[in-house]
Amino acid sequence: AQTVTQSQPEMSVQEAETVTLSCTYDTSESDYYLFWYKQPPSRQMILVIRQEAYKQQNATENRFSVNFQKAAKSFSLKISDSQLGDAAMYFCAHWMGNEKLTFGTGTRLTIIP
Amino acid sequence: DAGITQSPRHKVTETGTPVTLRCHQTENHRYMYWYRQDPGHGLRLIHYSYGVKDTDKGEVSDGYSVSRSKTEDFLLTLESATSSQTSVYFCAISPTPDGVNQPQHFGDGTRLSIL
């Protein structure tokens, strides 16, 4: 079975600083996709960033970037210049071709003013 | 924003009663999903649909059934609600199953409490 592990239930960071959220996954496939979703208190699920496994280059979206280590099955999210609006639950998710996303248990990120 | 509407947004009901949650989309997407979100578990897939009248089970399908008679509507039914089904339920849609060209878009969720 697919598993996605987020080992940090909670993280906090000072405003304007950088924080990295960890995610590891388990798969025997070579072609798959990975995602980070953000869930603010409004409960909406918002896609932050995605990575295709066959691409070696790490995905970047403005202040958000990933460190994708395929051999280690690691997919961490780095948030630079943290802002108060970044406070949310962050979910890592994995898709490997079976029409289903598998989500991790989430990391709650707090931004300290 | 993708046009997804979940109804109701909140519901409180009693154990043993039937409950139906509705997901309505205006995007004409082929794939529709129902998830439940619980503390410590993240989002878990209940059922999904890959077309009208085409559905399949997810990892936590026991106690739930679904129906999709039209492209735009995907219904989740709890035939006899139990307290363990108290949760926040999310619907999601996607034109493709991989979320690459267009990721899954989520509704705003339904908070269901079963007393």
Side-chain angles (χ1 to χ4, degrees):
Chain A
Q2 300 181 73
T3 58
V4 178
T5 302
Q6 294 179 249
S7 60
Q8 306 152 316
E10 297 183 352
M11 292 279 287
S12 60
V13 63
Q14 206 79 31
E15 193 176 3
E17 297 296 310
T18 295
V19 64
T20 299
L21 308 184
S22 301
C23 173
T24 59
Y25 56 94
D26 185 25
T27 183
S28 57
E29 300 292 322
S30 60
D31 192 18
Y32 50 88
Y33 302 92
L34 297 162
F35 306 85
W36 278 99
Y37 278 87
K38 170 185 178 182
Q39 186 181 43
S42 66
R43 226 165 55 192
Q44 279 186 302
M45 290 288 289
I46 303 164
L47 179 69
V48 175
I49 200 164
R50 60 189 167 196
Q51 174 81 40
E52 291 94 326
Y54 65 87
K55 289 186 177 180
Q56 292 186 333
Q57 186 173 7
N58 289 326
T60 299
E61 290 286 342
N62 300 314
R63 298 182 295 108
F64 298 87
S65 61
V66 300
N67 183 7
F68 174 48
Q69 302 289 327
K70 190 172 184 179
K73 297 179 184 176
S74 171
F75 182 59
S76 60
L77 175 69
K78 186 173 83 170
I79 306 174
S80 304
D81 185 24
S82 297
Q83 301 175 0
L84 294 178
D86 295 333
M89 283 288 288
Y90 286 82
F91 292 97
C92 179
H94 172 223
W95 180 89
M96 67 169 206
N98 57 359
E99 300 180 316
K100 304 167 194 174
L101 276 178
T102 300
F103 286 85
T105 53
T107 296
R108 182 175 301 282
L109 179 63
T110 301
I111 310 298
I112 303 167
Chain B
D1 289 346
I4 314 173
T5 304
Q6 288 186 234
S7 58
R9 292 295 313 278
H10 305 273
K11 186 173 181 66
V12 180
T13 190
E14 295 182 346
T15 300
T17 60
V19 177
T20 295
L21 307 183
R22 181 184 184 230
C23 178
H24 179 78
Q25 61 145 326
T26 58
E27 304 296 319
N28 200 36
H29 285 344
R30 178 181 174 189
Y31 291 85
M32 298 186 76
Y33 306 82
W34 275 109
Y35 294 90
R36 61 178 289 174
Q37 182 179 18
D38 305 289
H41 290 278
L43 276 80
R44 293 179 292 174
L45 183 65
I46 304 171
H47 282 279
Y48 68 100
S49 170
Y50 48 95
V52 173
K53 297 185 179 179
D54 292 322
T55 64
D56 203 353
K57 296 179 180 180
E59 64 177 304
V60 291
S61 60
D62 287 348
Y64 301 95
S65 62
V66 290
S67 65
R68 190 169 179 198
S69 58
K70 298 184 290 183
T71 298
E72 57 266 35
D73 289 326
F74 192 33
L75 304 181
L76 177 70
T77 297
L78 292 66
E79 299 290 349
S80 177
T82 68
S83 59
S84 65
Q85 294 174 311
T86 292
S87 187
V88 179
Y89 291 85
F90 284 94
C91 175
I93 64 173
S94 178
T96 60
D98 56 16
V100 174
N101 294 319
Q102 188 164 347
Q104 286 190 18
H105 284 284
F106 286 78
D108 291 338
T110 294
R111 183 175 296 278
L112 177 63
S113 298
I114 301 165
L115 307 178

